Amino acid sequence: GTKLAALIEKNSAGKNEGLLASGALNKRGWSPVMYAAWRGDKSGLNAALKSSPDLGQKDSAGMTALALAAQGGHLTVIDTLISAGASLECGDTALHPMVLATKQGHVSVVRSLISKLKDTASCSTLLEETLNQSLVLGKLEIAELFFDHDISIGGKSSMSPLIVMASKADGPLFDKLIKGGAKVDDVNTVGETALMIAAKTGNNNAVTSLLRHKADINKSDQQGRTALLHAAQNNQTTSVELLIEHGADALRATKENNTALMLAAERGYISVVEFLVNYENLDQKNNVGDTALIMAARGGFYDVSDILLKQGANPRVSNNKKQKAQSVVKEEDTKLLALIEEYSSSRSWIQDIF
């Protein structure tokens, strides 16, 4: 490397050719121009360019000098190569300088290349696919560059960028994604929409943006879970409140017939349960006959059980195994047993539900 760099700087064309012939560069198939581009060595590049190299030459991996410079983020070298005649043709997508710079997060390089390519009709697909890639990789600053140049979402991406960004993008970026062509209700491989993912991760700016753009609030995934069910299951109280306020159906249930209240009670999520008790039938049963109270009692969640009982949950309801809330509590949990016993004996129930 050092020997080659010295030869480039001295512009010793004859020695460079001898070095190439001897096999010193043939492992990667690099020319002196490629080596200088890879290093970001502008003075060495200028020296090597005087021997009139083939700027379209590719190394053993299919990389040109321009691609090597883009991958390294060497903007001045890129400009020098383009001025010398290096091609930005958009045929080879995988190894295009734009794609390589995006993967490495080189913002200034991407900005420069977008300005050079945005009006080239043959590059529209490349730009769209690179925008998708920037979102998949979480390169939000780069994604913003594409949006600022009115480049729309498209290409062959198998997953909506909304889904990719649902857990981390802010509201304004979602607005740009949707304006750029992203479909609000696209789903991933398990049937989850961006709204579901945003709700279960507590990305409430995204939830608000998606609801503003008319995302299907009651759409369900392959397990029957809506955005509300996802939020309740993951202790996202604010998301739960937002969804209910915008018309989410609190009575929807999973394939196992678990409601949002049940999913929260089963996990001991106090604030979610406190909110949802006002919207659901407290004694609704799932496929195995469990109620929210039975599920909370089984988990040993005193505070959740207390909330449910105070709101009128029936402690004498039985599941399919004839178990009541009291019978699923661990023997050593005397405090919870006493609470359920108090409500079982002090309230006058019209009838037991078996």
Side-chain angles (χ1 to χ4, degrees), residues 109-158:
V109 173
V110 174
R111 181 185 293 111
S112 176
L113 293 176
I114 289 175
S115 66
K116 291 177 172 64
L117 297 174
K118 65 185 181 69
D119 296 322
T120 305
S122 61
C123 292
S124 59
T125 299
L126 169 74
L127 292 170
E128 291 169 355
E129 291 183 356
T130 310
L131 166 56
N132 285 347
Q133 183 182 64
S134 71
L135 293 166
V136 170
L137 296 173
K139 311 288 186 182
L140 303 190
E141 189 175 357
I142 288 178
E144 291 278 7
L145 294 176
F146 287 95
F147 290 127
D148 290 343
H149 285 82
D150 295 322
I151 294 165
S152 300
I153 293 161
K156 301 175 182 177
S157 177
S158 60

Side-chain angles (χ1 to χ4, degrees), residues 248-301:
D249 185 356
L251 301 180
R252 290 287 291 272
T254 67
K255 286 187 174 181
E256 293 78 25
N257 215 24
N258 289 316
T259 65
L261 178 63
M262 291 176 184
L263 293 174
E266 183 180 36
R267 292 162 175 79
Y269 297 152
I270 297 171
S271 60
V272 176
V273 169
E274 282 181 323
F275 183 80
L276 288 174
V277 288
N278 300 304
Y279 296 91
E280 293 192 26
N281 174 4
L282 301 187
D283 296 326
Q284 184 169 330
K285 295 183 177 183
N286 64 13
N287 289 351
V288 295
D290 284 343
T291 63
L293 178 59
I294 291 173
M295 296 168 92
R298 184 182 290 113
F301 299 119

Side-chain angles (χ1 to χ4, degrees), residues 111-232:
R111 181 185 293 111
S112 176
L113 293 176
I114 289 175
S115 66
K116 291 177 172 64
L117 297 174
K118 65 185 181 69
D119 296 322
T120 305
S122 61
C123 292
S124 59
T125 299
L126 169 74
L127 292 170
E128 291 169 355
E129 291 183 356
T130 310
L131 166 56
N132 285 347
Q133 183 182 64
S134 71
L135 293 166
V136 170
L137 296 173
K139 311 288 186 182
L140 303 190
E141 189 175 357
I142 288 178
E144 291 278 7
L145 294 176
F146 287 95
F147 290 127
D148 290 343
H149 285 82
D150 295 322
I151 294 165
S152 300
I153 293 161
K156 301 175 182 177
S157 177
S158 60
M159 187 180 294
S160 166
L162 284 179
I163 292 172
V164 174
M165 301 308 299
S167 64
K168 46 197 171 187
D170 58 16
L173 179 54
F174 262 76
D175 292 337
K176 289 183 179 181
L177 286 167
I178 295 166
K179 182 180 178 183
K183 292 182 172 62
V184 174
D185 290 321
D186 272 356
V187 298
N188 62 15
T189 55
V190 293
E192 294 174 339
T193 64
L195 181 60
M196 294 175 197
I197 296 169
K200 75 178 180 180
T201 57
N203 187 355
N204 294 311
N205 287 331
V207 170
T208 301
S209 175
L210 289 162
L211 291 173
R212 186 168 61 250
H213 289 284
K214 310 300 182 185
D216 185 346
I217 199 169
N218 289 315
K219 189 178 178 70
S220 58
D221 66 12
Q222 292 175 5
Q223 299 301 315
R225 295 171 299 184
T226 63
L228 177 62
L229 289 161
H230 276 287

